[in-house]
Structures are given as structure tokens and as C-alpha cells.
Amino acid sequence: MTKKLKKPWPTKAVMTQIYDMKLWGGSTFDFYSGTGSHDPKITNPYLQAVRSFLTSHNHNLVVCDLGCGDFNIGNQLVSLTKKYIAIDIVDALIERNKKRYKHNNLEFQCLDISKDALPQADCLILRQVLQHVSNAEIKEIVKQLNRYKYIILTEHLPLGTFTPNKDIISGQGIRLKKNSGVVLTAPPFHLKIKDEKIMDEHVLEANKGRIVTTLFCLH
């Protein structure tokens, strides 16, 4: 039985509990990172856009994937990179991924991305990760982002006008119920970028918002 934690839960503990209790679904899976990582309507256009970007750089980019989850997505991108560093905060998940996925240019690491030093790379992938994280932790992550030339950021955002970056407690939920979503270039994060481009946008059914993937060029 999973131990009940007192709030606010440490992020590592709550993310571990989410997988243990299968709060993102996938009852038949050992680990499951949610429909956003498995629904072809969402994943196929995303993969097409990211594959095109990586191919345009002649498969020569070192990519760091922050919050790689069950690696259903990352596994389909590894071959298009010079090196792929996949990171997650859940120890058991990383150990499982190490056993399941084998590529000469693939490395898994277990890190808390709001506290630990991030690896050097050309391109950073942050796919539906920050939407689950508190503003205080996002601020710590942003402090390290300037070392990367490219960031491919995917966030679940409301439809229409919304107030960015309302705070939440790190966990299963996201900011959508507050009519908010993460916008790194807005206060209180103020990420400095050179250019940005929307790579993919998927509108969900039943007014459940949209999943937007943006390419940031930082320098």
C-alpha cells in the first residue's frame, strides 16, 4: 500500500505516487505517462514536427529530455540525434527504462530538474512537464535554460484568453481549472529568447484546452 503523504508533497514523492497509483491511467501498463504520450491524435503530429526539426539539423544535435516519463515518445526520436539524454525524477521509472530501451546514443539519468545540475546539450525537450510543477520550481528550472540553444516546450493551455502562470502545488493536476497555463516568457519567469515558433497545436475535445508545442531559439 502506498504511504499517504502530507501536503505539500515533495515533488519526487508525489510523482512516484502518481505512477504507483496509476493516476494518469494505463491500468495494464507497468508505467504510464498519460494519453498525451500515447494517443496517436496527439503524438503523431508532435513526432512529425520534432522529427522534421531534428532531421533539419542532420541528426547532429545532443538532446536532453526533461521528464521523459515512460519513454513512449522519446524512444521514437533517439535515432535522429547525436546523443539523447533522458531524465525523470522517479527512480523506479528510470531503472525500468534503462532495461527496456537500449541505444548506443541513449543515456538515462534520475534527477530532480528543479534542484540538480542539468546535462549539457544543444536542444532541450520539456513535454507536458512544467504544467504539473509549482512556480517556485519552474523558476529554478528556468535559471538553467540559457545553456541550451533550442527548447522544444509542450504545454497544455486553455482555449482563448487566459492568465498565464497561476501557481499550483506540484502534482497530478495542471493549471487548466484556473484558466491558466505555463508561458515561460511571461512573469514571473521572464525567459529571454531570440525567436519562437509554434511547431504543433492540438485542440482537445469537450473544451479541454489545447496542447501547444513551441520551439524557442535562445541564442
Side-chain angles (χ1 to χ4, degrees), residues 191-209:
L191 179 67
K192 302 299 181 184
I193 64 169
K194 182 179 179 181
D195 194 18
E196 66 178 286
K197 174 186 176 182
I198 293 180
M199 300 176 71
D200 178 51
E201 181 171 354
H202 177 79
V203 177
L204 300 170
E205 298 176 357
N207 198 32
K208 292 183 178 179

Side-chain angles (χ1 to χ4, degrees), residues 76-139:
Q76 301 179 67
L77 300 173
V78 176
S79 64
L80 303 179
T81 69
K82 182 178 181 179
K83 183 177 182 180
Y84 200 102
I85 307 167
I87 293 170
D88 206 280
I89 197 171
V90 179
D91 298 272
L93 177 57
I94 287 295
E95 290 306 310
R96 172 261 202 187
N97 287 348
K98 285 180 179 179
K99 294 175 182 176
R100 179 168 293 195
Y101 300 104
K102 306 286 187 179
H103 302 275
N104 291 334
N105 63 330
L106 174 62
E107 175 185 333
F108 287 103
Q109 295 184 24
C110 188
L111 298 175
D112 182 336
I113 64 174
S114 69
K115 297 178 181 178
D116 298 322
L118 303 180
Q120 292 291 334
D122 304 300
C123 177
L124 192 72
I125 290 177
L126 267 166
R127 187 171 189 277
Q128 293 182 259
V129 173
L130 300 184
Q131 62 192 39
H132 295 288
V133 178
S134 70
N135 282 4
E137 288 177 287
I138 294 176
K139 285 180 181 179

Side-chain angles (χ1 to χ4, degrees), residues 11-125:
T11 303
K12 188 180 187 76
V14 72
M15 292 303 173
T16 299
Q17 188 175 68
I18 286 169
Y19 280 107
D20 286 348
M21 297 181 68
K22 302 191 182 302
L23 298 181
W24 286 328
S27 59
T28 61
F29 291 75
D30 56 348
F31 288 90
Y32 186 79
S33 294
T35 57
S37 293
H38 289 269
D39 184 347
K41 292 180 182 178
I42 299 172
T43 61
N44 287 348
Y46 171 84
L47 285 167
Q48 182 178 355
V50 178
R51 284 172 178 149
S52 178
F53 170 77
L54 295 174
T55 301
S56 72
H57 288 82
N58 301 312
H59 305 182
N60 201 39
L61 295 180
V62 177
V63 172
C64 183
D65 183 348
L66 301 186
C68 66
D70 60 25
F71 210 57
N72 184 58
I73 297 295
N75 186 52
Q76 301 179 67
L77 300 173
V78 176
S79 64
L80 303 179
T81 69
K82 182 178 181 179
K83 183 177 182 180
Y84 200 102
I85 307 167
I87 293 170
D88 206 280
I89 197 171
V90 179
D91 298 272
L93 177 57
I94 287 295
E95 290 306 310
R96 172 261 202 187
N97 287 348
K98 285 180 179 179
K99 294 175 182 176
R100 179 168 293 195
Y101 300 104
K102 306 286 187 179
H103 302 275
N104 291 334
N105 63 330
L106 174 62
E107 175 185 333
F108 287 103
Q109 295 184 24
C110 188
L111 298 175
D112 182 336
I113 64 174
S114 69
K115 297 178 181 178
D116 298 322
L118 303 180
Q120 292 291 334
D122 304 300
C123 177
L124 192 72
I125 290 177

Side-chain angles (χ1 to χ4, degrees), residues 156-164 176 178-183 201-204 207-212:
H156 193 157
L157 303 173
L159 297 171
T161 303
F162 65 93
T163 302
L176 200 66
K178 297 185 175 185
N179 193 40
S180 185
V182 174
V183 180
E201 181 171 354
H202 177 79
V203 177
L204 300 170
N207 198 32
K208 292 183 178 179
R210 56 201 171 103
I211 299 175
V212 181

